[in-house]
C-alpha cells in the first residue's frame, strides 16, 4: 500500500510509472494532495503544477492516466525535504473575542475581523 509520499517520490524524484498498478494504490492516490505537496517543493514547481497539471487534470478519466501525466510532464528534480507550508494563525491572536462578538452580532468571524481592521485603520489615519 502506497502513501502520498510514495506518489510524490515517484512523480518527481524517481519517475516510476509502475507505482500505481493496483486498485488499492489507485484508491490512495489523491490528485489534490499530490498537487498541494508538489507546489510546496519550489516556486518553479508551483508554477508548473498550476499552469499544466491543474489546467489539464479534468481531461483524464481515471487516476492512472493522471498519474502517468504527472510523471511525464513534471521534471525530474533532486531529492530534498519538502517543508509543509502552514497558514499562520496571526489573525486569531490579534482579535481575541471575535467568536463572542460574532455570536452576539449574528455575523461571521471574518466580518468581525474585517470591521476591527477597518476601525484600526480609521483610528491610525485620524491621528495623522
Amino acid at each position: 500500500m502506497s502513501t502520498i509520499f510514495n506518489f510524490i517520490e515517484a512523480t518527481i524524484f524517481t519517475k516510476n510509472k509502475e507505482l500505481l498498478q493496483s486498485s488499492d494504490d489507485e484508491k490512495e492516490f489523491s490528485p489534490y494532495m499530490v498537487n498541494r505537496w508538489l507546489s510546496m517543493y519550489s516556486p518553479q514547481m508551483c508554477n508548473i503544477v498550476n499552469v499544466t497539471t491543474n489546467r489539464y487534470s479534468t481531461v483524464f478519466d481515471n487516476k492512472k492516466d493522471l498519474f502517468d501525466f504527472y510523471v511525464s510532464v513534471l521534471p525530474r528534480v533532486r531529492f530534498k525535504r519538502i517543508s509543509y507550508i502552514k497558514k499562520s494563525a496571526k489573525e486569531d491572536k490579534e482579535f481575541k473575542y471575535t467568536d463572542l462578538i460574532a455570536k452576539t452580532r449574528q455575523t461571521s468571524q471574518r466580518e468581525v475581523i474585517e470591521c476591527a481592521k477597518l476601525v484600526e485603520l480609521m483610528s491610525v489615519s485620524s491621528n495623522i
Side-chain angles (χ1 to χ4, degrees):
M1 184 133 102
S2 299
T3 64
I4 183 73
F5 303 108
N6 297 104
F7 295 125
I8 294 167
E9 180 181 346
T11 304
I12 60 173
F13 300 131
T14 62
K15 298 293 189 177
N16 182 9
K17 286 187 178 185
E18 286 79 32
L19 182 66
L20 200 67
Q21 295 298 327
S22 68
S23 62
D24 291 335
D25 288 339
E26 194 166 338
K27 288 178 187 174
E28 293 295 321
F29 180 71
S30 170
Y32 169 75
M33 290 304 293
V34 171
N35 285 345
R36 184 177 174 126
W37 277 93
L38 289 176
S39 64
M40 290 181 216
Y41 180 82
S42 69
Q44 294 82 12
M45 185 67 72
C46 181
N47 190 28
I48 293 170
V49 169
N50 285 335
V51 170
T52 61
T53 314
N54 288 342
R55 187 172 293 163
Y56 300 115
S57 63
T58 56
V59 174
F60 301 104
D61 295 331
N62 57 19
K63 293 180 180 181
K64 174 70 175 143
D65 293 339
L66 182 61
F67 179 74
D68 290 342
F69 177 74
Y70 287 163
V71 173
S72 302
V73 170
L74 297 176
R76 173 179 265 162
V77 293
R78 273 186 338 171
F79 179 80
K80 80 171 188 178
R81 184 175 179 267
I82 301 174
S83 300
Y84 186 79
I85 301 170
K86 190 169 119 176
K87 181 181 176 184
S88 65
K90 187 177 179 182
E91 289 184 81
D92 298 337
K93 294 178 183 176
E94 286 181 7
F95 308 106
K96 291 182 180 180
Y97 303 108
T98 57
D99 56 340
L100 181 63
I101 295 169
K103 284 181 184 177
T104 57
R105 298 291 182 193
Q106 296 181 351
T107 62
S108 68
Q109 290 183 7
R110 182 186 56 81
E111 287 179 306
V112 171
I113 291 170
E114 292 298 321
C115 288
K117 287 180 183 178
L118 182 62
V119 168
E120 279 184 15
L121 183 66
M122 291 174 65
S123 66
V124 168
S125 64
S126 66
N127 290 337
I128 296 177

